[in-house]
Amino acid sequence: MNRSFISLVLLLCTFASLAQSKYSDYAGKFKIQFPGQPTTSSQDQKTDIGNVTLYQFMYETESSVYMVSYVDYPADKLNPNKKELLTNAKNGFVNALNLTVSDEGFITYGQHQGIRFVASDSEKSCVMRDYLVDNRLYQLGILQFGKISEQAENDFFDSFELVK
């Protein structure tokens, strides 16, 4: 084999391994496998318990959006009822997009309480997993036109991991 062919194969293997690497946000203390490079943004928001900053990470295609967001709530003002807080986060998301919930249930990530829900309207559907880690709320989601495949859901959500 000639050297240029070997160099080409090594280069392609390098690109393939880079494409499979997880997106890391060490300030947000998480890693996740997006289908491509996400865009990032942050915005300050007023809430009933004070001002917070919402951090968002999104990868968009023509028909879908993969999203991770997180917000740190003031620990001294956080509702001790985690299920209520998670339900309120779900309701806020669903109401903002005018969706109808078709499936929901409480879940865990390690020892952290969470909620999973599926919602849709006549055009789009979403599946979300929200987790409360201390006073930080993570919201992971896929929103797309049409039905979301179980494999797409599992590939994205199961790649999520907390980092220190």
Side-chain angles (χ1 to χ4, degrees):
M1 284 191 221
N2 67 33
R3 286 185 167 223
S4 13
F5 177 76
I6 293 172
S7 296
L8 178 62
V9 169
L10 290 174
L11 183 62
L12 290 174
C13 289
T14 301
F15 284 135
S17 68
L18 288 174
Q20 295 302 316
S21 63
K22 286 187 176 182
Y23 177 83
S24 300
D25 183 73
Y26 290 100
K29 299 181 179 179
F30 75 90
K31 289 182 181 183
I32 195 163
Q33 181 68 52
F34 281 98
Q37 183 66 27
T39 58
T40 63
S41 65
S42 65
Q43 60 187 19
D44 294 330
Q45 296 184 327
K46 284 187 167 190
T47 70
D48 294 341
I49 59 173
N51 294 333
V52 297
T53 302
L54 174 69
Y55 298 91
Q56 293 182 309
F57 308 82
M58 289 197 263
Y59 176 77
E60 298 180 54
T61 69
E62 287 183 18
S63 62
S64 61
V65 176
Y66 290 77
M67 176 205 75
V68 173
S69 68
Y70 71 87
V71 62
D72 292 321
Y73 291 106
D76 61 333
K77 296 182 180 178
L78 193 63
N79 183 343
N81 184 337
K82 293 179 181 179
K83 287 185 177 182
E84 183 178 328
L85 189 143
L86 291 162
T87 299
N88 290 342
K90 175 202 64 153
N91 291 340
F93 182 85
V94 169
N95 293 337
L97 295 177
N98 200 27
L99 302 172
T100 302
V101 175
S102 60
D103 185 33
E104 68 180 291
F106 290 103
I107 57 174
T108 58
Y109 176 83
Q111 75 268 22
H112 307 291
Q113 187 75 43
I115 192 168
R116 177 194 176 273
F117 61 94
V118 178
S120 62
D121 64 15
S122 61
E123 297 179 340
K124 60 190 171 296
S125 61
C126 79
V127 62
M128 299 286 295
R129 294 186 192 179
D130 297 354
Y131 300 105
L132 190 59
V133 178
D134 299 321
N135 62 314
R136 177 171 288 173
L137 175 68
Y138 289 97
Q139 295 183 289
L140 293 67
I142 302 172
L143 177 68
Q144 77 178 33
F145 292 103
K147 186 169 169 45
I148 299 166
S149 76
E150 189 175 324
Q151 181 171 354
E153 176 185 352
N154 291 336
D155 287 349
F156 183 62
F157 294 119
D158 292 349
S159 73
F160 177 76
E161 65 180 287
L162 297 173
V163 296
K164 295 189 183 226

